[in-house]
Coordinates of all heavy atoms in Angstrom, one line a residue:
Chain B
R521 N -62.1 10.1 110.4 CA -61.5 10.9 109.3 C -62.6 11.6 108.5 O -63.7 11.1 108.3 CB -60.7 10.0 108.4 CG -60.0 10.8 107.3 CD -59.1 9.9 106.4 NE -58.5 10.7 105.3 CZ -57.2 11.0 105.4 NH1 -56.4 10.7 106.4 NH2 -56.7 11.7 104.4
C522 N -62.3 12.8 108.0 CA -63.2 13.6 107.2 C -62.4 14.1 106.0 O -61.5 14.8 106.1 CB -63.8 14.7 108.0 SG -64.8 15.9 107.1
N523 N -62.8 13.7 104.8 CA -62.2 14.2 103.5 C -63.2 15.1 102.9 O -64.4 14.9 102.9 CB -62.0 13.0 102.6 CG -60.9 12.1 103.0 OD1 -60.0 12.5 103.8 ND2 -60.9 10.9 102.6
F524 N -62.7 16.2 102.4 CA -63.6 17.2 101.7 C -63.0 17.7 100.4 O -61.8 17.7 100.2 CB -63.9 18.4 102.7 CG -62.7 19.0 103.3 CD1 -62.0 20.0 102.7 CD2 -62.3 18.5 104.6 CE1 -60.9 20.5 103.3 CE2 -61.2 19.1 105.2 CZ -60.5 20.1 104.6
S525 N -64.0 18.0 99.5 CA -63.6 18.6 98.2 C -63.5 20.1 98.4 O -64.2 20.7 99.2 CB -64.5 18.2 97.2 OG -65.8 18.6 97.5
D526 N -62.8 20.7 97.6 CA -62.7 22.2 97.5 C -62.0 22.8 98.8 O -61.9 22.1 99.8 CB -64.0 22.9 97.3 CG -64.7 22.3 96.1 OD1 -64.0 22.1 95.1 OD2 -65.9 22.1 96.1
S527 N -61.7 24.0 98.7 CA -61.1 24.7 99.9 C -62.2 25.0 100.9 O -63.4 25.0 100.6 CB -60.4 25.9 99.5 OG -61.4 26.8 98.8
V528 N -61.9 25.2 102.2 CA -62.9 25.5 103.2 C -62.5 26.7 104.0 O -61.3 27.0 104.2 CB -63.0 24.3 104.2 CG1 -63.6 23.1 103.5 CG2 -61.7 24.0 104.8
N529 N -63.5 27.5 104.3 CA -63.4 28.6 105.3 C -63.8 28.2 106.7 O -63.4 28.8 107.6 CB -64.2 29.8 104.8 CG -63.8 30.3 103.5 OD1 -62.6 30.4 103.2 ND2 -64.7 30.8 102.7
N530 N -64.6 27.1 106.7 CA -65.2 26.7 108.0 C -65.2 25.2 108.0 O -65.7 24.5 107.0 CB -66.6 27.2 108.1 CG -67.3 26.8 109.4 OD1 -66.8 26.0 110.2 ND2 -68.5 27.2 109.5
L531 N -64.7 24.5 109.0 CA -64.7 23.1 109.2 C -65.1 22.8 110.6 O -64.4 23.3 111.5 CB -63.4 22.5 108.8 CG -63.3 20.9 108.6 CD1 -63.5 20.1 109.9 CD2 -64.2 20.5 107.5
Q532 N -66.2 22.2 110.9 CA -66.7 21.9 112.2 C -66.9 20.4 112.4 O -67.3 19.7 111.5 CB -68.0 22.7 112.5 CG -67.9 24.2 112.5 CD -69.2 24.9 113.0 OE1 -69.7 25.7 112.2 NE2 -69.6 24.6 114.2
W533 N -66.6 20.0 113.7 CA -66.9 18.6 114.2 C -68.0 18.8 115.2 O -67.9 19.6 116.1 CB -65.7 18.0 114.8 CG -64.7 17.4 113.8 CD1 -63.5 18.1 113.4 CD2 -64.7 16.2 113.1 NE1 -62.9 17.2 112.5 CE2 -63.6 16.1 112.3 CE3 -65.6 15.1 113.2 CZ2 -63.3 15.0 111.5 CZ3 -65.3 14.0 112.4 CH2 -64.2 13.9 111.6
F534 N -69.0 17.8 115.1 CA -70.1 17.8 116.0 C -70.3 16.4 116.6 O -69.9 15.4 115.9 CB -71.4 18.2 115.3 CG -71.5 19.5 114.7 CD1 -71.1 19.8 113.4 CD2 -71.9 20.6 115.5 CE1 -71.2 21.0 112.9 CE2 -72.0 21.9 115.0 CZ -71.7 22.1 113.6
H535 N -70.8 16.3 117.8 CA -71.3 15.0 118.3 C -72.8 15.1 118.5 O -73.3 16.1 119.1 CB -70.6 14.8 119.7 CG -71.1 13.6 120.4 ND1 -71.2 13.5 121.8 CD2 -71.5 12.4 119.9 CE1 -71.7 12.3 122.1 NE2 -71.8 11.6 121.0
Q536 N -73.5 14.2 117.9 CA -75.0 14.2 118.0 C -75.3 13.2 119.1 O -75.0 12.0 118.9 CB -75.7 13.9 116.7 CG -77.2 14.0 116.8 CD -77.9 14.0 115.5 OE1 -77.5 13.3 114.6 NE2 -78.8 14.9 115.3
N537 N -75.9 13.6 120.2 CA -76.2 12.7 121.3 C -77.5 12.0 121.0 O -78.2 12.2 120.0 CB -76.3 13.5 122.6 CG -77.4 14.5 122.7 OD1 -78.4 14.4 122.0 ND2 -77.3 15.4 123.6
P538 N -77.8 11.0 121.8 CA -79.0 10.1 121.6 C -80.3 10.9 121.5 O -81.3 10.4 120.9 CB -79.1 9.2 122.8 CG -77.6 9.1 123.2 CD -77.1 10.5 123.0
W539 N -80.4 12.1 122.0 CA -81.6 13.0 121.9 C -81.6 13.8 120.6 O -82.5 14.6 120.4 CB -81.7 13.8 123.1 CG -81.9 13.0 124.4 CD1 -83.1 12.5 124.9 CD2 -80.8 12.5 125.2 NE1 -82.8 11.7 126.0 CE2 -81.4 11.7 126.2 CE3 -79.4 12.6 125.1 CZ2 -80.7 11.0 127.2 CZ3 -78.7 11.9 126.1 CH2 -79.3 11.2 127.1
G540 N -80.5 13.8 119.8 CA -80.5 14.5 118.6 C -79.8 15.8 118.7 O -79.5 16.4 117.6
Q541 N -79.4 16.3 119.9 CA -78.7 17.5 120.0 C -77.4 17.5 119.4 O -76.6 16.5 119.6 CB -78.6 17.9 121.5 CG -77.7 19.1 121.8 CD -78.5 20.4 121.6 OE1 -79.5 20.6 122.2 NE2 -78.0 21.4 120.8
L542 N -77.1 18.5 118.5 CA -75.7 18.6 117.9 C -74.9 19.5 118.9 O -75.1 20.6 119.1 CB -75.8 19.3 116.6 CG -76.1 18.4 115.4 CD1 -76.2 19.3 114.1 CD2 -75.0 17.4 115.2
I543 N -73.8 18.8 119.4 CA -72.9 19.5 120.3 C -71.6 19.9 119.5 O -71.0 19.0 118.9 CB -72.6 18.6 121.5 CG1 -73.8 18.3 122.2 CG2 -71.5 19.2 122.4 CD1 -73.7 17.1 123.1
N544 N -71.3 21.2 119.6 CA -70.1 21.6 118.9 C -68.8 21.1 119.6 O -68.6 21.3 120.8 CB -70.0 23.1 118.9 CG -71.0 23.8 118.0 OD1 -72.2 23.3 118.0 ND2 -70.6 24.8 117.3
L545 N -68.0 20.4 118.8 CA -66.7 19.9 119.4 C -65.6 20.8 119.0 O -64.8 21.2 119.9 CB -66.5 18.5 118.9 CG -67.4 17.4 119.3 CD1 -67.1 16.1 118.6 CD2 -67.5 17.3 120.8
F546 N -65.4 21.1 117.7 CA -64.3 21.9 117.2 C -64.8 22.7 116.0 O -65.5 22.3 115.2 CB -63.1 21.0 116.8 CG -62.4 20.3 117.9 CD1 -62.7 19.0 118.1 CD2 -61.6 21.0 118.8 CE1 -62.1 18.3 119.2 CE2 -61.0 20.3 119.8 CZ -61.2 19.0 120.0
Y547 N -64.3 23.9 116.0 CA -64.3 24.8 114.8 C -62.8 24.8 114.4 O -62.0 25.4 115.1 CB -64.8 26.2 115.1 CG -64.6 27.2 114.0 CD1 -65.4 27.1 112.9 CD2 -63.6 28.1 114.1 CE1 -65.2 28.0 111.8 CE2 -63.4 29.0 113.1 CZ -64.2 29.0 112.0 OH -64.0 29.9 110.9
I548 N -62.5 24.2 113.2 CA -61.1 23.9 112.9 C -60.8 24.0 111.4 O -60.6 22.9 110.8 CB -60.6 22.7 113.6 CG1 -59.1 22.5 113.4 CG2 -61.4 21.4 113.2 CD1 -58.4 21.5 114.4
P549 N -60.9 25.1 110.8 CA -60.6 25.2 109.3 C -59.1 24.9 109.0 O -58.8 24.5 107.9 CB -60.9 26.6 109.0 CG -60.9 27.4 110.2 CD -61.3 26.4 111.3
S550 N -58.3 24.9 110.0 CA -56.9 24.5 109.8 C -56.2 24.4 111.1 O -56.7 24.9 112.2 CB -56.1 25.6 109.0 OG -56.0 26.8 109.7
G551 N -55.1 23.6 111.2 CA -54.3 23.5 112.4 C -54.8 22.4 113.3 O -55.6 21.5 112.9
T552 N -54.4 22.4 114.6 CA -54.7 21.4 115.6 C -55.3 22.1 116.8 O -54.8 23.1 117.2 CB -53.4 20.6 115.9 OG1 -53.0 19.9 114.7 CG2 -53.7 19.6 117.0
K553 N -56.3 21.4 117.4 CA -56.8 21.9 118.7 C -57.1 20.7 119.6 O -57.3 19.6 119.1 CB -58.2 22.6 118.4 CG -58.1 24.0 117.7 CD -59.5 24.6 117.7 CE -59.3 26.0 117.0 NZ -60.7 26.7 116.9
Q554 N -57.1 21.0 120.9 CA -57.3 19.9 121.8 C -58.3 20.4 122.9 O -58.3 21.6 123.3 CB -56.0 19.5 122.5 CG -56.2 18.4 123.5 CD -55.0 17.5 123.7 OE1 -53.9 17.8 123.2 NE2 -55.2 16.4 124.5
N555 N -59.2 19.5 123.3 CA -60.1 19.8 124.3 C -60.3 18.5 125.2 O -61.1 17.6 124.8 CB -61.4 20.3 123.8 CG -62.4 20.7 124.9 OD1 -62.1 20.7 126.1 ND2 -63.6 21.1 124.5
G556 N -59.6 18.4 126.3 CA -59.6 17.3 127.1 C -59.2 16.0 126.4 O -58.0 16.0 125.9
R557 N -60.0 15.0 126.3 CA -59.7 13.7 125.6 C -59.8 13.8 124.1 O -59.5 12.9 123.4 CB -60.5 12.6 126.2 CG -60.3 12.3 127.6 CD -61.2 11.1 128.1 NE -62.6 11.5 128.0 CZ -63.4 11.0 127.0 NH1 -63.0 10.2 126.1 NH2 -64.7 11.3 127.0
L558 N -60.4 14.9 123.6 CA -60.6 15.0 122.2 C -59.6 16.0 121.6 O -59.2 17.0 122.2 CB -62.0 15.5 121.9 CG -63.1 14.5 121.8 CD1 -63.3 13.7 123.1 CD2 -64.4 15.2 121.5
S559 N -59.2 15.7 120.4 CA -58.4 16.7 119.6 C -58.7 16.5 118.2 O -59.3 15.5 117.8 CB -56.9 16.4 119.9 OG -56.5 15.2 119.4
A560 N -58.4 17.6 117.4 CA -58.7 17.5 116.0 C -57.6 18.2 115.2 O -56.9 19.2 115.7 CB -60.0 18.2 115.7
T561 N -57.4 17.7 114.0 CA -56.4 18.3 113.1 C -57.0 18.5 111.7 O -57.6 17.5 111.2 CB -55.1 17.4 113.0 OG1 -54.5 17.4 114.3 CG2 -54.2 17.9 112.0
T562 N -56.8 19.6 111.1 CA -57.2 19.8 109.7 C -56.0 20.2 108.9 O -55.3 21.2 109.3 CB -58.3 20.9 109.6 OG1 -59.5 20.5 110.3 CG2 -58.7 21.2 108.2

Side-chain angles (χ1 to χ4, degrees):
Chain B
R521 186 176 180 103
C522 173
N523 291 333
F524 48 87
S525 59
D526 305 321
S527 59
V528 293
N529 296 325
N530 178 359
L531 194 292
Q532 292 186 240
W533 282 97
F534 299 92
H535 175 213
Q536 188 167 41
N537 66 21
W539 296 271
Q541 173 83 54
L542 273 179
I543 298 163
N544 289 41
L545 297 178
F546 294 101
Y547 168 76
I548 188 164
S550 64
T552 297
K553 290 186 179 179
Q554 178 154 7
N555 184 4
R557 296 181 296 104
L558 273 59
S559 64
T561 295
T562 297

